[in-house]
Amino acid sequence: MHLKNYINGVWKDSVTGRTFEDHDPANGDLLATVTLSSAADVNEAVSAAKKAQQQWRLVPAPVKGDILMKASRILEERKEDIARELTCEMGKVIAEARGDVQEAIDMFNLIGGEGRRLRGETVPSEMPNKTIYVVRDPIGVCGLITPWNFPTAIPTWKIAPALVCGNTVVVKPATETPRCMVRIFEALIDAGLKDYPGVINLVLGGGGEVGEAILASKDISMISFTGSTDVGRRIATVCGETLKRSSLEMGGKNAIIVMDDADLHLAVDSVIWSAYGTTGQRCTACSRLIVHRKVKAEFEKLMIEAISKLKLGHGLKSDVGPVINMGARRKIDEYVQIGKNEGAKLLVGGENATEGELAKGSFYKPTLFTDCTPNMRICQEEIFGPVATIIPFDTLEEAIQINNNTAFGLSSAIITNNVNDAMVAARDITTGLVYINAGTIGAEVSTPFGGTRGTGNGHREGGVQVLDAFSEWKTVTFDFSGHVQKAQIDNK
Ligand code: UN1
């Protein structure tokens, strides 16, 4: 298989003639060769997007929405095939891959429906014979840079609202997951965008060349990015200088608070999904378990049992897949060494998994540390792998303070049967998402998604709130006092 760019309605190779390879992280199999693009390809895509935007902005929003809803139905038909490809390209287990594609289906449907709403408002004027209305205007060409961990869902979080608001897009997926992005493009093209060349453009390649060219382009008015904090900071810096708009979604250091009255089986279940699901590679993954000292010993015992039951292997036939690549595995292992040196007690895992078939892939054993203190690096920095830390506490206030005290602010959870404690936690936790008696993952598409502090820059994806990131408010004031003046003249 060979994957190409999609520019101005045509699938084509990069002008560089160079390629890179797309591999299965579970066994190293070659899945596809991929065209490796340069700034010249980005510039061609941006010119096409700029020209197309002049027509696209005038297409009625319900028509735009219909295309998105049709893309949703097409993805539904192709769901199983795409999910299997996703597992092979990115590594997550098949049940989660189906969930990833389902999120894309749901997002196209949700935002497609916004095509029939996209509401503005009318505002009473303070003057007679004036009327004022406020409408959403497109921003122009949006540069969308998407990660490998939700390779079908996250692209739709950005493409759908960008398009329904009348923008056109230039998209760069992570180099690890180009094929999933091609599948999203195919659904949109088949849903009707083949008749609108230049509205969606795909440029495959690395951050250094393609990402930087998107950042540098004068004709791109807005960048939406999900990925690492380092890259997000770079984007924010450049956008600050060039006064481009940016919507950034970066790291997390999410926690589950386990109270002494909690149903511990529910707590363990929530943690297993949140910490080791997607092999810990979600920005919503839970990596801190803030556990009441009274139940710590029992909780540790149940966690060790539950972890020992997790079967590692290819995502098509196991509970925990590989991490994305060998570089990521090295970084995870470095953090485990840092944890040991900091004095955290290793309960389970803490090494590469290399038995039998696993030797061919980038597998890491689900890892659990205990007796951690809140300021240890393993409790403050994002590891993005299957590593969780237990931090004991004595009072709810202390637990909430530990929960809030990191550089990130995406997701938190509390497991308790005490309604008062749950309400206090919901009030005092300062992350963008809070779960009561559920893990930190699994946000639904109809709700605003995003985080405080270093997780983002104040924008939200999902819900209707995402429309604010992809549109400009325009205030239109009508002054019809000329009619009154004319009547007075006529009466004289
Ligand atoms: C991410 O990891 O970047 O809430 C997004 C969740 C998913 C999205 C995760 N719906 O876990």
Side-chain angles (χ1 to χ4, degrees), residues 191-207:
L193 286 185
K194 62 179 166 315
D195 299 329
Y196 298 92
V199 168
I200 53 169
N201 301 277
L202 172 64
V203 186
L204 301 167

Side-chain angles (χ1 to χ4, degrees), residues 38 59 115 143 160 193 217 250 267 269 289 304-305 328 335 350 409 429 444:
S38 67
V59 172
L193 286 185
S217 171
M250 299 169 284
D269 236 35
L289 316 175
I304 293 168
E305 264 171 43
Y335 267 110
I429 283 174
E444 299 191 16

Side-chain angles (χ1 to χ4, degrees), residues 113-359:
E114 284 310 311
R116 291 199 176 267
R117 287 181 287 268
L118 214 65
R119 298 212 165 101
E121 51 181 326
T122 57
V123 182
S125 169
E126 56 199 34
M127 306 289 283
N129 301 311
K130 257 192 189 180
T131 197
I132 302 175
Y133 66 85
V134 181
V135 287
R136 287 188 190 278
D137 245 14
I139 301 174
V141 180
C142 300
L144 313 180
I145 303 177
T146 61
W148 47 261
N149 71 333
F150 275 81
T152 61
I154 291 180
T156 68
W157 298 8
K158 302 179 191 300
I159 294 173
L163 295 188
V164 88
C165 289
N167 307 287
T168 54
V169 299
V170 174
V171 186
K172 186 206 106 56
T175 45
E176 290 82 357
T177 52
R179 188 168 69 180
C180 285
M181 186 65 91
V182 166
R183 298 297 178 242
I184 295 293
F185 264 64
E186 287 167 348
L188 285 164
I189 293 163
D190 295 347
L193 286 185
K194 62 179 166 315
D195 299 329
Y196 298 92
V199 168
I200 53 169
N201 301 277
L202 172 64
V203 186
L204 301 167
E209 276 211 67
V210 176
E212 285 295 332
I214 288 176
L215 259 187
S217 171
K218 284 197 202 53
D219 289 324
I220 288 185
S221 314
M222 185 268 189
I223 308 267
S224 176
F225 166 78
T226 300
S228 72
T229 303
D230 286 348
V231 175
R233 188 175 290 120
R234 160 94 188 129
I235 292 173
T237 305
V238 174
C239 290
E241 281 166 3
T242 54
L243 300 180
K244 267 194 204 9
R245 214 193 246 230
S246 66
S247 171
L248 308 173
E249 173 56 38
M250 299 169 284
K253 194 68 194 174
N254 314 296
I256 297 183
I257 298 173
V258 181
M259 297 300 290
D260 54 348
D261 68 333
D263 171 343
L264 288 187
H265 292 280
L266 173 67
V268 168
D269 236 35
S270 310
V271 170
I272 290 289
W273 273 107
S274 303
Y276 306 116
T278 330
T279 323
Q281 304 168 107
R282 293 193 189 212
C283 58
T284 51
C286 153
S287 55
R288 297 182 300 149
L289 316 175
I290 308 177
V291 181
H292 199 290
R293 220 177 280 279
K294 279 193 195 150
V295 294
K296 178 175 162 274
E298 176 67 8
F299 177 76
E300 285 173 359
K301 189 177 124 246
L302 293 173
M303 278 297 300
I304 293 168
E305 264 171 43
I307 293 174
S308 70
K309 290 194 190 122
L310 295 174
K311 187 171 163 291
L312 266 67
H314 196 289
L316 292 176
K317 48 178 196 225
S318 70
D319 305 315
V320 179
V323 297
I324 190 69
N325 55 37
M326 294 295 179
R329 182 167 80 169
R330 266 195 303 281
K331 179 184 153 201
I332 293 162
D333 196 54
E334 272 165 30
Y335 267 110
V336 168
Q337 303 319 316
I338 290 169
K340 287 185 193 161
N341 293 340
E342 286 178 309
K345 182 172 155 204
L346 184 65
L347 279 184
V348 203
E351 56 186 2
N352 295 339
T354 53
E355 300 88 37
E357 289 272 284
L358 302 182

